[in-house]
Amino acid sequence: VQLQASGGGLVQAGGCWRLSCAASGRTFSSYVMGWFRQAPGKERDFVAAIITSWNAANTYYADSVKGRFTIARDNAKNTIFLQMNSLKPEDTAVYYCAAGPRASMIDSDFSYWGQGTQVTVSS
């Protein structure tokens, strides 16, 4: 699986923004897809992940973004999205999409990574 994240930019605090991650590979739908972020001088942190089965999609979020961010996937287009609302300056980071074989909030459990896209939230 190859991942290509896009959509980063500069946004004002309180605003909203959406990131996309396009995946290649015919087994896209079988992977757990996630978003992580890394702020300057900090470790990479879990943001959100989505698991899909034949009849449902389950999502889970870091406490810091719960209620503000939404992860979604379009298996037909091999793409995942991260809708970010009510953005705060502390959301400023490089955002990475990732794919892995099982549900996890740990970055080492994800096997494939996109290149990262910068999101900057100005106060």
Side-chain angles (χ1 to χ4, degrees):
V1 177
Q2 292 185 324
L3 305 175
Q4 180 76 33
S6 62
L10 175 64
V11 58
Q12 288 189 332
C16 57
W17 204 255
R18 191 175 81 160
L19 302 179
S20 301
C21 177
S24 63
R26 291 179 292 178
T27 59
F28 169 78
S29 61
S30 67
Y31 285 94
V32 175
M33 300 299 298
W35 288 96
F36 289 76
R37 67 186 182 185
Q38 188 168 21
K42 296 187 177 181
E43 295 184 349
R44 187 163 57 189
D45 291 330
F46 171 78
V47 175
I50 184 166
I51 311 161
T52 54
S53 62
W54 67 277
N55 65 342
N58 294 311
T59 58
Y60 48 106
Y61 299 92
D63 288 343
S64 59
V65 306
K66 199 172 295 183
R68 299 189 298 123
F69 289 14
T70 301
I71 186 172
R73 68 192 293 168
D74 185 337
N75 286 338
K77 296 183 178 179
N78 281 9
T79 302
I80 64 167
F81 305 95
L82 185 68
Q83 178 65 43
M84 305 181 290
N85 298 331
S86 302
L87 282 160
K88 305 175 182 180
E90 50 264 43
D91 294 318
T92 295
V94 176
Y95 284 73
Y96 298 89
C97 57
R102 60 182 179 273
S104 175
M105 296 183 182
I106 302 172
D107 57 2
S108 58
D109 287 336
F110 286 78
S111 307
Y112 304 97
W113 291 83
Q115 83 286 4
T117 186
Q118 175 72 46
V119 175
T120 302
V121 183
S122 62
S123 57

